Amino acid sequence: MNSPHLLKIERELRALSLEELEWLLELMTRQVQEKKQISDQLTDVKYMNKQLAAMASDLDIQTEIASINNEFVVTEMDGLQKGLKKW
């Protein structure tokens, strides 16, 4: 990674004091850690989305969801009817 931009930064780093370099190093370390956390979170989201997609296409899970929905259909309708009467 010897881009002109990085070479310029390297030259400018030589002019910094030890304290300034330590401060900059701490700042860079924090920023790298934050970016890694964000990357890990995005990876987790992608993984979770793949898992959810796999579950959505699983016939056993679809059957179970349909069964659960059938059990609660009366309850859902009761709540809906009461809500409509209030309006």
Side-chain angles (χ1 to χ4, degrees):
M1 281 200 270
N2 291 330
S3 73
H5 185 67
L6 290 176
L7 292 173
K8 180 181 176 189
I9 292 172
E10 182 182 7
R11 283 191 303 273
E12 291 176 1
L13 286 173
R14 291 186 189 129
L16 296 178
S17 69
L18 179 59
E19 292 80 17
E20 291 169 326
L21 286 170
E22 288 175 338
W23 176 86
L24 184 59
L25 183 58
E26 289 174 11
L27 175 68
M28 290 171 52
T29 300
R30 281 194 306 272
Q31 288 184 359
V32 167
Q33 290 170 347
E34 289 171 5
K35 286 189 178 200
K36 282 183 179 180
Q37 284 180 331
I38 290 169
S39 176
D40 290 345
Q41 290 171 351
L42 291 176
T43 300
D44 289 345
V45 168
K46 289 177 185 176
Y47 173 77
M48 186 62 75
N49 286 338
K50 286 180 184 178
Q51 293 298 313
L52 290 171
M55 289 174 62
S57 63
D58 186 305
L59 293 178
D60 290 334
I61 291 176
Q62 290 176 6
T63 302
E64 185 64 26
I65 290 172
S67 173
I68 291 169
N69 285 339
N70 286 335
E71 289 180 33
F72 286 96
V73 72
V74 174
T75 305
E76 289 176 0
M77 291 305 292
D78 286 346
L80 183 59
Q81 290 171 353
K82 289 179 183 176
L84 290 176
K85 288 179 185 177
K86 289 181 183 178
W87 298 104

